[in-house]
Amino acid sequence: MLWLIITTGECNLKCDYCGGSFPKEIVPWKVSYNIENLKKLVEKDKSPTIIFYGGEPLLNYKFIEKVIDNLEKARFGIQTNGLLVKLLPKDYWKKINVALLSIDGRQEINDKHRGKGTYKKVIEAAKYIKNVNPNIETIARMTVTNDSNIYEEVIHLIELNLFDKIHWQLDVVWSNKWDFVSWARNNYVPGLRKLLKFFVENLKKGKIIKIIPFVGILSAHYHQGYIGSPCGAGYRSVTVLSNGKILSCPIAVREKWANLGDIYNGYKLLEEPMPDYCKKCEFRKYCGGRCLYAHMEPYWGKEGFIEIDEVNKEYIKMVLSIIPEVDQLIKEGIIKVTDLYYDPTADSTEVIP
Ligand code: SF4
Ligand code: SF4
């Protein structure tokens, strides 16, 4: 199972689509529970993946050290903006399996939203951690806004040759409403089509470029489909807040529906992770309902939710349209079906942007 451990609610950046730190009274900036309590819970899990999360988790690197020292058998990862990678001693980086680094694509696009100079710093961070631990897997974790050109941003990140996988989330629902539909029609969907073509051209050469929103759907087709949000929220993933509360989703820090328990008394997973809205959808196996939070807190209203969902369906259909070609490549032995397996809870990604 995936354990998202929030080491602090504080962040050292204030990206415009996120807003920076959580208020201290909601997500404390220090961990207030005893590590033994966490240890007892995680040790009951046969195959735990612990991902350090925040805020910016490296602001509390001491707690990261403590968790790694106490839970040696777990798999470890981190979601970080990369600015403080040198705070965590090298010996600990060597024990981390996966690092998700925030980067939105080309420098001008990244720095416009994340702050001047952040692009250069995250690139330096990726080089640094790869140098310290050549076995670490790096994932570019992008936020895609109305300034992004999905094809250009993703190709740029691939060409950097620093990231093993690429994943993105759309800046929808969380921010104030913007004209997502026009942007999707004129920019995003055509860009996705071009990117998918690039992906298929590489498949034909036997190369699977790990673009997670593509690979995650192919995995659901050839392996196991999703029974809830691919991120695992509440059924394959839990979030431990710095005050010991256990939640289904790391974003739902204020919402009662997300409470699953606490570090002292344990937690109860969701029995029905698929949102009602999705139970009859033909794409549910590939999509899992996308994001649980967006169903529970539709800030763009019902109409806005449906607009996003229509674009989502178009993207899913687009990826599924390559299945006959992929079948043929598997048949010819150019790619292996096993290489198309992807478990988003091993990486703490969401698959569906
Ligand atoms: S495509 Fe839309 S309706 Fe279908 S499962 Fe995904 S979120 Fe639900
Ligand atoms: S995809 Fe949605 S439900 Fe899953 S972790 Fe992100 S915000 Fe929460």
Side-chain angles (χ1 to χ4, degrees), residues 130-172:
K130 277 274 186 196
N131 194 26
V132 173
N133 176 3
N135 296 322
I136 201 167
E137 229 186 347
T138 48
I139 303 180
R141 186 169 177 81
M142 312 162 63
T143 300
V144 168
T145 66
N146 59 348
D147 290 319
S148 315
N149 175 314
I150 192 65
Y151 179 79
E152 297 295 339
E153 309 321 330
V154 172
I155 295 292
H156 175 79
L157 294 174
I158 293 169
E159 286 175 350
L160 286 174
N161 228 352
L162 277 172
F163 300 102
D164 301 297
K165 294 176 186 159
I166 315 275
H167 181 52
W168 67 88
Q169 274 201 294
L170 293 169
D171 176 31
V172 289

Side-chain angles (χ1 to χ4, degrees), residues 9-20:
E10 186 181 10
C11 190
N12 52 344
L13 286 180
K14 207 171 179 185
C15 307
D16 57 11
Y17 28 66
C18 164

